Amino acid sequence: MTTLLALDIGGTKVGWGIVEAGDTYEVTERGSIPTDAMRGGEDVAARVCQLASSVAASHPRVTGVAVASAGVVDPAAGAIVSATGTMPGWGGTPLGAMLAEATGLNVRVLNDVHAHGLGEATLGAGRPYRSVLSIAVGTGIGGAFVEDGRVAFGARGIAGHVGHIHHHFAPDMTCSCGRKGHIESFCSGSGITAWYGSLRGESDPAVDGGRALQELADGGNALAASCFARSAYALGEATASLVNCTDPAAVILSGSMTRSGDIWWDALREGFAASAMTPVADTPILVGSLGGDAPLLGAVSFFLHA
Ligand SMILES: [Zn+2]
């Protein structure tokens, strides 16, 4: 049995968990602090180091720190290569080295979406499968291709940016990456709301988020329902394109958008069926089973097996 401190550093909060890893993995204790990302990368790193050293000091059985972090990560160096505007100054942080110095423990760092996919693939819904394409559809859209318990990181740590695939349904929507028509710009939780906002007429009420849009769709608003159906169909087609290229044994979808109900799921499966080549058309499409623990458990899996 190995006991590790796992950290999940996101734009809103920094989650931590004590993970007992043996034949099974279990999060035995957990907590979080606000990221306060706008205070800048240096400030965030200092508070993460403080958190890690105090939790490790009060848990003497902890023998290492497994980290899942927002931003593009160099998993070999444990450093944050770059980050988006939601975490200003986070890019360039030598996080692994800083945490090793603060705690005196071994540290491994990987990107949070990669960690999420690795967790689901090896310890969650993907356990029965040798290879998994994991797609997280929440505020943004990200993913990971995992084969034999290893994440495909790519040459620059960028692999798995599923949200940045173009689709013709919304060619004028601007993506978080600055390009136009990427699926994240109209299929993610924030994207679908923005898409609805760009299309709505005088009779369509303004909404302030995915949940409000869902209520509108369920209440019979035709435009809201069509945004859910068309964005899910596009995501299904994009998923099929990826499956055609990578041939995973299973696809795992997770994140807030997967709780969107039948309109969304039916359209997603329809889009997938329309674009999947015959040999991969019956690839199982599963729902993630680990919830918020997926990045913590994936980070631990990476720490122990990388
Ligand atoms: Zn993009």
Side-chain angles (χ1 to χ4, degrees), residues 163-165 175-180 182-184:
H164 306 280
I165 291 173
C175 185
S176 62
C177 71
R179 311 303 184 268
K180 282 191 183 290
H182 287 178
I183 57 171
E184 182 171 288

Side-chain angles (χ1 to χ4, degrees), residues 98-183:
M98 292 175 77
L99 280 167
E101 194 182 322
T103 61
L105 299 170
N106 285 330
V107 181
R108 298 299 302 263
V109 187
L110 81 169
N111 166 267
D112 54 355
V113 180
H114 287 151
H116 180 111
L118 182 58
E120 285 291 355
T122 57
L123 301 160
R127 274 186 87 151
Y129 303 96
R130 222 199 84 200
S131 60
V132 160
L133 172 66
S134 159
I135 303 178
V137 198
T139 310
I141 299 178
F145 182 71
V146 181
E147 192 163 33
D148 294 327
R150 286 172 191 277
V151 177
F153 290 114
R156 299 162 194 83
I158 295 289
H161 273 72
V162 172
H164 306 280
I165 291 173
H166 191 272
H167 194 279
H168 64 92
F169 276 1
D172 296 326
M173 291 294 289
T174 302
C175 185
S176 62
C177 71
R179 311 303 184 268
K180 282 191 183 290
H182 287 178
I183 57 171

Side-chain angles (χ1 to χ4, degrees), residues 44-237:
V44 173
R47 282 180 291 111
V48 168
C49 285
Q50 202 171 35
L51 171 73
S53 67
S54 93
V55 175
S58 60
H59 295 77
R61 290 174 59 206
V62 167
T63 55
V65 185
V67 186
S69 173
V72 176
V73 175
D74 175 349
I80 311 300
V81 177
S82 60
T84 63
T86 57
M87 289 194 73
W90 188 235
T93 305
L95 184 65
M98 292 175 77
L99 280 167
E101 194 182 322
T103 61
L105 299 170
N106 285 330
V107 181
R108 298 299 302 263
V109 187
L110 81 169
N111 166 267
D112 54 355
V113 180
H114 287 151
H116 180 111
L118 182 58
E120 285 291 355
T122 57
L123 301 160
R127 274 186 87 151
Y129 303 96
R130 222 199 84 200
S131 60
V132 160
L133 172 66
S134 159
I135 303 178
V137 198
T139 310
I141 299 178
F145 182 71
V146 181
E147 192 163 33
D148 294 327
R150 286 172 191 277
V151 177
F153 290 114
R156 299 162 194 83
I158 295 289
H161 273 72
V162 172
H164 306 280
I165 291 173
H166 191 272
H167 194 279
H168 64 92
F169 276 1
D172 296 326
M173 291 294 289
T174 302
C175 185
S176 62
C177 71
R179 311 303 184 268
K180 282 191 183 290
H182 287 178
I183 57 171
E184 182 171 288
S185 69
F186 71 104
C187 300
S188 66
S190 53
I192 189 173
T193 309
W195 197 32
Y196 168 84
S198 76
L199 297 172
R200 79 186 172 93
E202 279 175 17
S203 58
D204 301 306
V207 296
D208 60 1
R211 191 168 299 171
L213 189 63
Q214 176 80 54
E215 281 167 16
L216 202 58
D218 291 343
N221 181 283
L223 178 63
S226 141
C227 284
F228 272 97
R230 284 172 64 80
S231 67
Y233 187 93
L235 182 63
E237 283 196 311

